[in-house]
Amino acid sequence: MPRGSKAKYTPEQKRKAAHIEDSYEHKGVPAAEAEARAWATVNKQSGGGEKAGGSGRRKAPMKKAQDRSDSAKRAAASREGHPRSSRVSLGTQTKESLMKEARAKDIPGRSSMRKAELIEALKKAG
């Protein structure tokens, strides 16, 4: 026998559970077992009854895909040669990020420079 109140379920969920329960009973499953299976099926398909504070839950697949794409675009843009914020000093950056910045500023001889030399060249380039 299913536990708990079914008051939080939508009318559609209740109709679906009743239909599934009737189908199981028609196949010869005992009433209590049919009811339990019906509600288990409804819960699996829809995640249970109405939830409080439904915002942010269950985005439409297209919206979720669009948000994921937007996030990837923002991440890619932040990796490109955008100017770093004033809080990040040259000394805390990796050599690879310094090399990208030197490439963006077209500093000659950058490929053979060490990290300290890259920092100096970037400071001079301004």
Side-chain angles (χ1 to χ4, degrees):
M1 188 74 170
R3 293 181 280 171
S5 169
K6 304 299 181 220
K8 296 253 181 180
Y9 287 84
T10 64
E12 179 187 359
Q13 291 170 317
K14 291 176 184 178
R15 280 192 310 274
K16 186 181 281 190
H19 177 73
I20 294 168
E21 183 179 349
D22 290 343
S23 175
Y24 277 124
E25 286 176 355
H26 181 71
K27 293 176 185 177
V29 176
E33 177 69 17
E35 185 182 5
R37 286 185 187 184
W39 284 108
T41 303
V42 169
N43 286 337
K44 185 173 184 181
Q45 290 176 347
S46 64
E50 295 173 345
K51 304 287 192 282
S55 80
R57 288 182 53 244
R58 304 219 182 222
K59 286 186 180 178
M62 291 299 293
K63 175 69 173 146
K64 190 182 289 187
Q66 183 63 42
D67 287 350
R68 194 175 293 129
S69 173
D70 292 344
S71 176
K73 287 176 184 174
R74 284 192 308 274
S78 70
R79 286 190 300 267
E80 292 302 316
H82 288 285
R84 67 186 167 277
S85 70
S86 59
R87 295 179 298 159
V88 178
S89 70
L90 290 171
T92 60
Q93 288 185 294
T94 63
K95 183 177 178 187
E96 290 77 23
S97 66
L98 292 169
M99 189 63 78
K100 271 187 181 179
E101 196 168 335
R103 191 176 307 120
K105 292 185 177 185
D106 200 27
I107 295 175
R110 64 185 174 269
S111 63
S112 62
M113 291 183 183
R114 285 180 274 159
K115 184 175 178 178
E117 293 169 329
L118 281 170
I119 291 171
E120 285 303 315
L122 287 168
K123 283 180 181 177
K124 287 179 185 175

